């Protein structure tokens, strides 16, 4: 009797399982199942905090809607952002101008590439000791960036303001060795770019990249004794590697960085201290 009950139970279970299988295999009503959406892509981008990091953070939500998760990693130097892109720890960076990138690639045997130009940061001269450039005394200490591209840019700006004269033809590629006239006997000190705002109390004049000036709460259009014109060739660029330059996500980032929204953000927030390089 017990054996018969077990057999009967087995038959019932078999029919139940078969019924369940038939039910799950039946076609669903209402048409085919929708195709799943595209997987979100993460882009890791290195940047100096201001203005680059601020500009990138302003487009995070817009990119999120397009399936791109933008992660911004902030740096205080000009070396690691390039090294980490080259080593594929980052997908791209946004902190430098083209002359700096070209020199970096040459010095480090790298092949990083420009994706798009975004803005110009007019380079300026700052001081806590004088109010106008005519007050600069003989033997004054002038600090400039130590990296070649920004150092040459600083020297060219000093020449433009009649403080020194460079060897003919060197332009923004000049070095302190190319100074052929120095009527005020200026003592030119080359320091790491990020250190320059901190030296303002110790030197008579410092030529500072705008991103570091902004981080130090300086207002270039108000605080600089002199500043580059808006036609400066030093456009700040989005940089990546040849293998990912044309990826869909990278191109979405490039398009967002050169959008009307970013143009308005730059103009509203920086009041001329940062200038859009696109129309």
């Amino acid at each position: 009797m017990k054996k018969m009950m077990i057999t009967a139970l087995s038959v019932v279970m078999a029919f139940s399982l078969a019924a369940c299988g038939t039910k799950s295999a039946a076609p669903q009503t209402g048409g085919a199942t929708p195709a799943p959406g595209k997987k979100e892509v993460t882009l890791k981008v290195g940047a100096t905090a201001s203005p680059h990091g601020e500009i990138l953070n302003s487009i995070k939500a817009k990119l999120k809607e397009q399936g791109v998760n933008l992660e911004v990693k902030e740096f205080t130097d000009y070396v690691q952002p390039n090294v980490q892109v080259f080593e594929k720890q980052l997908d791209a960076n946004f902190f430098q101008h083209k002359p700096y990138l070209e020199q970096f690639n040459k010095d480090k045997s790298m092949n990083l590439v420009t994706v798009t130009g975004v803005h110009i940061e007019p380079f300026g001269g700052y001081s806590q000791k004088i109010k106008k450039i005519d007050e600069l005394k003989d033997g004054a200490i002038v600090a400039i960036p130590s990296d070649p591209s920004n150092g040459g840019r600083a020297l060219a700006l000093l020449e433009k303001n009649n403080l020194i004269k460079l060897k003919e033809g060197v332009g923004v590629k000049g070095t302190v060795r190319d100074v052929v006239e120095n009527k005020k006997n200026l003592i030119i000190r080359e320091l790491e770019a990020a250190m320059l705002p901190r030296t303002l109390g110790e030197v008579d004049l410092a030529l500072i990249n705008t991103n570091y000036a902004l981080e130090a709460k300086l207002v270039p259009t108000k605080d600089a004794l002199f500043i580059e014109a808006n036609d400066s060739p030093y456009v700040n660029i989005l940089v990546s590697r040849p293998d990912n330059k044309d990826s869909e996500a990278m191109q979405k980032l490039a398009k967002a960085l050169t959008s009307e929204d970013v143009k308005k953000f730059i103009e509203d927030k920086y009041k001329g201290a940062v200038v859009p390089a696109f129309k």
Side-chain angles (χ1 to χ4, degrees), residues 154-216:
L155 291 169
L157 190 56
L158 288 172
E159 182 178 46
K160 188 173 182 179
N161 285 273
N162 301 312
L163 292 172
I164 60 170
K165 188 174 181 180
L166 295 169
K167 188 185 299 181
E168 188 174 350
V170 297
V172 295
K173 295 183 178 180
T175 69
V176 290
R177 294 186 296 276
D178 295 313
V179 176
V180 294
E181 189 176 295
N182 183 1
K183 291 181 179 179
K184 285 182 175 285
N185 299 306
L186 302 177
I187 300 169
I188 300 175
R189 291 183 179 171
E190 297 175 278
L191 302 172
E192 185 182 345
M195 293 290 295
L196 290 168
R198 303 175 211 171
T199 68
L200 279 174
E202 304 166 16
V203 302
D204 298 289
L205 178 69
L207 280 83
I208 305 174
N209 297 73
T210 292
N211 61 302
Y212 290 132
L214 292 172
E215 288 175 23

Side-chain angles (χ1 to χ4, degrees), residues 45 50 53 88 90 108 112 123 142 147 162 185 192-194 197 200 221 226-227 229 251 272:
V45 181
S50 179
K88 300 188 177 182
L90 294 172
K108 305 294 184 182
L112 303 180
F123 202 79
V142 179
D147 60 278
N162 301 312
N185 299 306
E192 185 182 345
L200 279 174
T221 50
F226 53 85
I227 197 166
Q251 289 304 309

